[in-house]
Amino acid sequence: MTRNAKINTLLLLLVAALAVLPLALGLGDGKEEPFAGADAQAEAAITELKPDYEPWFSPLYEPPSGEVESALFALQAALGAGVLAYYFGVRKGRRQGAAAAAAPTPAETPATES
């Protein structure tokens, strides 16, 4: 196994552990929404500390349900991942193209006498 394969395997195991451990350890037990987002937690804290607080702004678009909101978030994440993958693919292609252009072709290499 190459060094890169070992690193990739280790990173994959780390990501899997980060996803599974909170569920396996029951870190969300006893809460109404165990894994609520930071926005919901901040809103709950503000409401608890200062019940008469009025927000400065209102959202431009309020999704009709939590499922639609999750779908839009997933779409945003997928588009971001696509842009990053395209960028890194172009960089790798350019690097490989530059390496291929710099490498001598068989016609340019001197023939060795046998």
Side-chain angles (χ1 to χ4, degrees):
M1 186 180 277
T2 66
R3 181 174 184 265
N4 283 342
K6 288 179 185 177
I7 291 173
N8 288 341
T9 303
L10 180 65
L11 288 173
L12 184 62
L13 289 173
L14 182 65
V15 168
L18 285 173
V20 172
L21 281 177
L23 299 172
L25 297 176
L27 296 179
D29 292 348
K31 294 183 180 178
E32 187 177 322
E33 292 184 48
F35 300 106
D39 291 344
Q41 291 176 352
E43 184 180 347
I46 290 170
T47 308
E48 183 181 316
L49 294 173
K50 195 168 184 181
D52 58 338
Y53 175 76
E54 287 292 324
W56 294 1
F57 302 100
S58 61
L60 296 175
Y61 171 70
E62 188 71 36
S65 69
E67 291 82 9
V68 173
E69 186 175 358
S70 293
L72 290 173
F73 182 74
L75 178 64
Q76 177 185 357
L79 287 171
V83 167
L84 283 175
Y86 176 77
Y87 170 75
F88 286 118
V90 166
R91 269 190 68 187
K92 183 174 182 175
R94 285 183 181 167
R95 191 171 48 241
Q96 287 176 344
T105 60
E108 294 175 359
T109 56
T112 58
E113 293 182 29
S114 22

